[in-house]
Amino acid sequence: MSVDPLEAVVARRGDEALETLAGLRATDPPTTGGRVLSYVYDSGVSALDDLAVRAAGLAHGVNGLDPTVFGSVARIHGGIVRRVRTILGGDSGGAGTDGNGGNGGNGGESDDDEVYGVVTSGGTESCVLASLAAREVSGRAPGSGGSIVAPVTAHAAFRKAAHVLGMRFVGVEVDPATGRAAAEDLLAAVDGDTCMVVCSAPSYPTGVIDPVEQVAAGLEARHDPRIGLHVDACLGGLVLPFWPGGVGEAWDLRVPRVTSISADLHKYGFAPKGTSVLLSRGRARHRASWFATVDWPGYPVVNPTLSGSKPLEPSAAAWAVLEALGDDGQRELVARTARATSRLVEGLSAIEGLKVVDSDPGPLIAVVADVSAGEDRVVHPHRWADECGRRGIAVQAQPAYRQQRGSLSSSSHLTITPVTERLTGEILGVARGAADAVRGMPAPAPPAEFADVLDALGSGALSPGDLLALPEDDVHELVAGVSSGASDETGGGMAPLLAAIERLPAEVGARLVRAYLAAVME
Ligand SMILES: *Cc1c(COP(=O)(O)O)cnc(C)c1O
């Protein structure tokens, strides 16, 4: 029995690679511990993280492309779908709790109201697939129109969906002070071209839960069942149902006119990245976003999601975490989240020059400048965010958003998770210190590299079209210096870049941030 010499070689090089990886990871912000208040959702229960890693290990190597070969895929995905469907009120109204969920249902009688589901790689994919299903159900071929009507505060994933699916995104303006969309404004935007209306529960930038029941009632009155009503609960789907005291009006599948809903396991399901669920009412809508073909010389292709080959690891981990937590565990984690949220809202509200935006119950906090404090006492939320970051607490800056009804203010965003409860005191200490450090400072200026461009745009010497026509290499030159961070007056923060985004036409801003990220990756 000879030992393959390659075994020893790859073991040695592999150890070196792991050491390098550990070194690289040490330079990242910590994904656990609660000091990063966006991107990561930390249960604070280390046994759950260990469990996720072990479950992923057991799923290693499986190709989720074909559940007829790898039966575990159907069982794991079905388990996730059934659990999330129950949490989101999809079992009532004739749907059997023993249905097969994502596996195709239990056959027999009419299943128009039965809720089916598919496990996707994340919220964006769930939103894109919901949009695709809406386009298909409405009978529109690619390139023949179809629009998605949504508050401007809906996640950018729907703009992306419209972009990749050849649909139109119709953004409905919100009240600039409250971030709230009125149901009548959303309904007024619905026309013969509309395939789908989107409500968020809640919206990521504002924490607002859109008026799902009112929109549902308005759509009901139109008598066109082909128009979808999608609830984007990517963020809220596994936290709002457990929020202490509830959140008020119904927003999930208990509202009969809701046709689909998305919920991310890799947010408040406390699973590693790579798992979300899209639930759809009725077999037709559920299957409308699948792709199938036998028109090629290879194996018959059936893809319920955008990928072909796909890992079982993330969904196996998500499933194991769901099983381990159960309703009681989930409720306890959400209760910790809710306590942390109210403590932080209270503490942040007391900081002079900052204002917490009033929102619905839920784990998101948006902070804006309190202009009533006066110019010399106001705290700019982006300067504050950068300063918090320098002090070890990462919050996320969000640019002002222009609309005709008046702009949504520059803000900073905090996502609160169960672990946050352990360090509300530390976070508030940093928040106060950071506010003291930047109070009375003027709004941040764009990076010096952009000064010429902004001047030229301002004077009309350059049009947005001229900028969009620039060769990619020129755009690269423009942002390369910025992404190196060398010129940043505030020492590595995001505030100057956001200041530039706020001043530029949106298409130009998009081109610059694309070049910025590309330069970082190059
Ligand atoms: C996170 C999020 C998404 C997109 O999810 P990804 O998993 O980042 O692709 C969509 N909608 C809302 C409300 C979200 O919070």
Side-chain angles (χ1 to χ4, degrees):
M1 269 204 290
S2 64
V3 176
D4 184 347
L6 193 55
E7 293 278 358
V9 174
V10 298
R12 178 175 52 75
R13 290 192 204 142
D15 283 343
E16 287 166 15
L18 287 179
E19 209 169 301
T20 306
L21 178 59
L24 293 172
R25 288 287 291 105
T27 68
D28 286 337
T31 57
T32 57
R35 286 176 180 79
V36 178
L37 291 144
S38 57
Y39 304 111
V40 293
Y41 299 78
D42 183 6
S43 67
V45 180
S46 59
L48 281 180
D49 294 325
D50 297 341
L51 172 67
V53 171
R54 279 162 55 209
L58 285 173
H60 176 73
V62 171
N63 192 346
L65 171 67
D66 197 341
T68 68
V69 172
F70 298 101
S72 62
V73 175
R75 301 299 295 273
I76 293 297
H77 284 200
I80 291 174
V81 165
R82 274 194 298 279
R83 172 107 175 90
V84 177
R85 184 177 65 182
T86 302
I87 292 171
L88 294 176
D91 287 340
S92 54
T97 47
D98 59 346
N100 286 327
N103 310 333
N106 42 18
E109 323 78 79
S110 161
D111 49 46
D112 270 353
D113 288 337
E114 180 131 6
V115 173
Y116 300 89
V118 64
V119 176
T120 75
S121 64
T124 298
E125 189 176 25
S126 293
C127 296
V128 170
L129 290 174
S131 306
L132 172 57
R135 193 191 73 189
E136 295 293 304
V137 167
S138 75
R140 282 181 180 78
S144 60
S147 66
I148 300 168
V149 170
V152 294
T153 49
H155 196 276
F158 294 99
R159 288 166 163 93
K160 181 176 185 175
H163 174 72
V164 300
L165 297 172
M167 300 171 78
R168 213 157 41 85
F169 180 84
V170 179
V172 173
E173 297 199 346
V174 299
D175 182 315
T178 64
R180 287 185 187 278
E184 49 271 32
D185 292 344
L186 280 163
L187 292 163
V190 173
D191 61 20
D193 202 36
T194 306
C195 297
M196 182 170 91
V197 180
V198 177
C199 285
S200 303
S203 147
Y204 183 86
T206 60
V208 163
I209 302 173
D210 290 324
V212 175
E213 284 194 301
Q214 288 174 60
V215 173
L219 283 179
E220 199 84 66
R222 286 185 76 99
H223 301 299
D224 185 354
R226 289 173 310 171
I227 300 179
L229 173 54
H230 180 78
V231 175
D232 179 10
C234 280
L235 192 128
L238 289 158
V239 60
L240 297 185
F242 300 96
W243 200 259
V247 300
E249 285 190 15
W251 52 271
D252 61 10
L253 290 162
R254 286 173 194 93
V255 181
R257 185 60 180 80
V258 168
T259 54
S260 55
I261 189 163
S262 49
D264 292 353
L265 279 305
H266 63 207
K267 287 178 181 160
Y268 288 93
F270 308 108
K273 293 291 177 263
T275 308
S276 170
V277 170
L278 172 64
L279 299 176
S280 305
R281 205 185 294 278
R283 276 206 180 103
R285 190 173 293 272
H286 166 60
R287 296 180 184 178
S289 56
W290 296 32
F291 177 79
T293 186
V294 292
D295 188 19
W296 78 307
Y299 57 90
V301 168
V302 189
N303 295 155
T305 63
L306 295 176
S307 33
S309 290
K310 61 181 170 188
L312 181 61
E313 283 97 327
S315 36
W319 174 80
V321 170
L322 278 177
E323 291 286 308
L325 270 179
D327 272 351
D328 52 341
Q330 192 78 21
R331 187 165 292 113
E332 169 59 24
L333 289 182
V334 173
R336 293 177 192 180
T337 306
R339 287 195 295 267
T341 306
S342 58
R343 242 173 261 167
L344 286 180
V345 166
E346 195 183 322
L348 293 172
S349 303
I351 296 177
E352 185 189 7
L354 276 183
K355 192 167 80 179
V356 174
V357 181
D358 194 28
S359 72
D360 293 310
L364 303 183
I365 300 177
V367 176
V368 296
D370 179 8
V371 287
S372 74
E375 212 172 294
D376 55 334
R377 303 301 295 164
V378 80
V379 173
H380 194 284
H382 296 168
R383 286 196 189 275
W384 176 75
D386 282 350
E387 197 56 43
C388 286
R390 270 173 227 122
R391 291 159 191 249
I393 296 292
V395 305
Q396 194 174 46
Q398 306 184 126
Y401 179 79
R402 280 182 298 266
Q403 38 166 40
Q404 272 158 15
R405 290 178 64 179
S407 295
L408 296 172
S409 305
S410 311
S411 60
S412 284
H413 167 107
L414 294 84
T415 297
I416 313 306
T417 61
V419 77
T420 317
E421 193 185 15
R422 290 183 206 150
L423 59 168
T424 51
E426 178 186 334
I427 293 171
L428 287 173
V430 165
R432 283 189 283 264
D436 290 344
V438 303
R439 187 171 290 114
M441 289 174 74
E449 286 84 346
F450 292 167
D452 291 349
V453 168
L454 286 162
D455 284 350
L457 271 173
S459 70
L462 264 182
S463 74
D466 296 334
L467 276 173
L468 292 173
L470 278 182
E472 198 59 36
D473 288 343
D474 292 1
V475 179
H476 178 74
E477 284 309 312
L478 191 61
V479 302
V482 181
S483 59
S484 75
S487 69
D488 182 1
E489 31 117 33
T490 59
M494 290 302 284
L497 187 64
L498 285 160
I501 290 170
E502 290 178 347
R503 283 166 181 72
L504 290 164
E507 322 82 75
V508 176
R511 187 141 191 234
L512 289 185
V513 295
R514 182 177 71 184
Y516 178 88
L517 185 73
V520 170
M521 308 270 302
E522 280 168 22

